[in-house]
Amino acid sequence: FISCSSSVHFLQFQVMQTSTDVRRPNKIVRAKPADLSQSVFEDPLPDYMNVLGMVFSMCGLMLRLKWSAWAALFCSCVSFANTRSSDDAKQIVSSFMLSVSAVVMSYLQNPQPIYPPWASLL
């Protein structure tokens, strides 16, 4: 059993909803798909890691720092993993080979393992 007052309220709600439409059709802007021909987002991480790997490789070779040679190998692996297929492969391979040679040369000159700084405390 529905009372008359509830049906009247329902009809008033319907009339009020249709008469007070706050939408403005002249302000509607349709969404457009992004243009995929222009690369908006360029990830600089592979380039930074490539430069960092070169710097660490040179420090490992010139200063005979083993940790620097290992850091160079890590940076070149990260750079290789994050590059796109359109990037220059020669530069990435040369950076990787330079870091591998830094590790090999640092262990050929001094075959002792790397001891962490806190090993002397124990």
Side-chain angles (χ1 to χ4, degrees), residues 12-22:
Q12 285 177 348
F13 177 73
Q14 287 287 356
V15 169
M16 185 173 51
Q17 190 178 19
T18 56
S19 65
T20 60
D21 191 9
V22 294

Side-chain angles (χ1 to χ4, degrees), residues 28-56:
I28 295 175
V29 179
R30 304 245 340 142
K32 297 175 188 168
D35 187 17
L36 297 178
S37 64
Q38 297 176 358
S39 177
V40 176
F41 179 70
E42 186 80 23
D43 190 19
L45 182 71
D47 297 330
Y48 290 151
M49 285 295 168
N50 198 5
V51 170
L52 215 61
M54 295 275 190
V55 169
F56 280 139

Side-chain angles (χ1 to χ4, degrees), residues 6-7 13-14 16 30 49 79 90 92-93 97 101 103 119:
S6 64
S7 62
F13 177 73
Q14 287 287 356
M16 185 173 51
R30 304 245 340 142
M49 285 295 168
S79 175
K90 290 179 188 176
I92 297 162
V93 170
M97 294 307 285
S101 66
V103 170

Side-chain angles (χ1 to χ4, degrees), residues 57 69 72-73 76 94-106:
S57 294
L73 188 63
S76 63
S94 66
S95 171
F96 187 74
M97 294 307 285
L98 183 65
S99 62
V100 167
S101 66
V103 170
V104 168
M105 291 304 289
S106 65

